[in-house]
Amino acid sequence: MIIDTHLHLIYRQRLSYPWLADVPPLNADFTYETYAREARRLGISAALHMEVDVAEADIEAETVMVEELGKAPGSLLVGAIAACRPESPDFPAYLDRVRANPFVLGFRRVLHVEPDELSEGPLFRENIRRLGGTGLNFDLCVLPHQIEKAIALADLAPDVSFVLDHCGVPDVKSGGYDAWKGPVAEIARRPNVTVKLSGLPAYGAENWTLEDMKPYFAHVVESFGFSRMVWGSDWPVCTLGGGLSTWVGATQALLSGVSPDDTTRVLAGNARRLWKLA
């Protein structure tokens, strides 16, 4: 069975998503029901909702909405990675509210569309350190040239678990392997960082093939090993590169020569451990 650690849900009537206007293929409703129908057929048994960079005023409303969906009988949703603003002086109070809600398992602040210096601010870094001892992980969504900023965060907060989203966002389409491989290998030296096998279909050419993905997969395996790798669909963003079924099939092909134990770790076991899932 598979635990999806990176599911986005979009309900435009309930929440505001300013960035969708710039991505017409995703500027639509992507509901839990649509996802779950396909996910169950693929063997996905549980999913974590990943924040969708809603308008700042809607951050807590997004968590409320997802938790409601998670309470429905038989729901695949078992937790949420909530949005946050570590650069804000209001973060400590927000953290206290979140810690009271066991449905929230971690945070993410999208950084790959923000100025590089955002994560270098003293308040941002102080607030990231506040996650130590809370059991809440922090997802890092950064471009290859920003991985050095992510490394700085991991070093500043060694008792916080970080997850590098989308294998470090390589530019698969334009052959960005060389610019990406060094930073990924360097951040992998930090034992408090796990890599997320996700996102690659959206970064490939429209007609990408499994051969395009193999070097990137091989490098994250070499850098992180199978004990620090989790899987995510990045639905519905993965629809830009073939869709959920295509990505699950490609993942299974990439893992075809891997031992059953390591395959289980990547698809479910590591996620259970990292987010303390039942």
Side-chain angles (χ1 to χ4, degrees), residues 192-272:
N192 58 329
V193 180
T194 295
V195 70
K196 187 175 293 185
L197 183 59
S198 63
L200 295 181
Y203 304 134
E206 185 177 352
N207 59 342
W208 66 266
T209 69
L210 190 68
E211 294 304 311
D212 297 327
M213 301 302 177
K214 283 182 177 179
Y216 296 91
F217 175 71
H219 185 59
V220 293
V221 170
E222 180 182 357
S223 300
F224 285 90
F226 293 112
S227 62
R228 286 193 292 143
M229 184 186 300
V230 295
W231 183 85
S233 71
D234 198 25
W235 190 87
V237 182
C238 67
T239 62
L240 301 178
L244 182 58
S245 294
T246 296
W247 178 226
V248 170
T251 299
Q252 290 170 338
L254 291 169
L255 292 169
S256 61
V258 176
S259 74
D261 285 348
D262 283 337
T263 297
T264 298
R265 288 186 182 96
V266 172
L267 296 181
N270 293 335
R272 286 196 181 96

Side-chain angles (χ1 to χ4, degrees), residues 56-71:
E56 186 170 351
D58 282 346
I59 285 177
E60 294 189 67
E62 180 181 47
T63 299
V64 170
M65 182 192 78
V66 175
E67 189 169 9
E68 288 175 359
L69 293 168
K71 289 178 178 177

